[in-house]
Amino acid sequence: VANPLLLNPLSYPHADRVATLFQVPSDEGHKAPSGQLVMVTPDAALLDEWRENARSLEAIEPYLTTDVMLERGAGTPAVAAMAKIRPGFAAFAGSGPVAGRLFTDEEAKTGVPVGLLAEPAWRARFGADPEIVGGTVRVNGKPVTIIGIMSSSLKLPRANSQPVDLWMPIDLARDLLGFHAVARLAPGVTQQAAE
């Protein structure tokens, strides 16, 4: 089921064609006590099938969010909001880094520990230090190389999302649970046709 996003602050290109993707399970066990269907996020295999076969969608981008402990050097760890995305998510959302670069498909597939600090976190937590690009932070105690600073214009398409502090590559082979999916309808395709 494709549900259009109704978030005014979302400034994605062709925002009128952006939709979130949900799966409606076919079994009765996924009904709420009221009898309404419970929509769940698709699993990685279904997402791959949609990406390969959906003619009504021109792009599908998965993402997931979680809280992590972020620290630099001998600093005190602090809770940070992290989002994992595919390398193409920033272009899908019409955004990009203000310094450095995006991670590559190869880095995402091989699990290379790279990340981009969100511009507001870079300014507030790290004093806008330009030397952090190419440097290392620790995420949950593990080293991550910061390859860029992501523009504050990159936002997740969920009304209840807190601002993201750190962007890292998603690997659907490993990050199996808890991700969401956003898509762009192909030109001229209605929500009903996509469903």
Side-chain angles (χ1 to χ4, degrees):
V1 176
N3 286 343
L5 295 174
L6 302 174
L7 304 177
N8 291 330
L10 195 60
S11 59
Y12 290 11
H14 308 288
D16 58 324
R17 297 184 359 230
V18 173
T20 54
L21 299 182
F22 295 97
Q23 178 182 9
V24 178
S26 58
D27 63 334
E28 291 294 313
H30 285 87
K31 286 196 175 180
S34 64
Q36 293 179 324
L37 285 173
V38 175
M39 294 184 289
V40 297
T41 55
D43 61 30
L46 181 58
L47 190 68
D48 283 343
E49 188 175 327
W50 283 348
R51 292 180 75 200
E52 289 175 21
N53 300 308
R55 295 180 309 275
S56 58
L57 305 172
E58 69 178 13
I60 299 174
E61 291 294 334
Y63 66 95
L64 66 81
T65 58
T66 188
D67 287 338
V68 295
M69 296 304 291
L70 177 65
E71 66 181 301
R72 182 181 185 196
T76 304
V79 176
M82 179 182 72
K84 287 190 169 188
I85 57 174
R86 288 183 7 134
F89 191 96
F92 176 92
S95 189
V98 295
R101 64 175 179 85
L102 296 171
F103 38 81
T104 65
D105 285 324
E106 189 63 25
E107 288 168 330
K109 287 178 189 171
T110 58
V112 174
V114 294
L116 292 99
L117 284 173
E119 187 176 9
W122 172 59
R123 293 185 185 288
R125 291 178 183 239
F126 301 102
D129 179 3
E131 299 297 316
I132 200 162
V133 176
T136 302
V137 298
R138 297 188 77 74
V139 177
N140 291 341
K142 296 180 181 174
V144 172
T145 301
I146 298 300
I147 59 171
I149 306 300
M150 182 62 76
S151 168
S152 60
S153 66
L154 183 58
K155 298 185 183 338
L156 293 177
R158 296 183 63 207
N160 61 350
S161 290
Q162 64 188 45
V164 172
D165 299 310
L166 177 68
W167 301 90
M168 290 186 68
I170 192 171
D171 179 355
L172 295 179
R174 289 191 305 265
D175 300 315
L176 295 176
L177 299 173
F179 67 82
H180 302 276
V182 63
R184 184 174 291 112
L185 300 175
V189 173
T190 66
Q191 176 192 346
Q192 292 74 23
E195 290 173 4

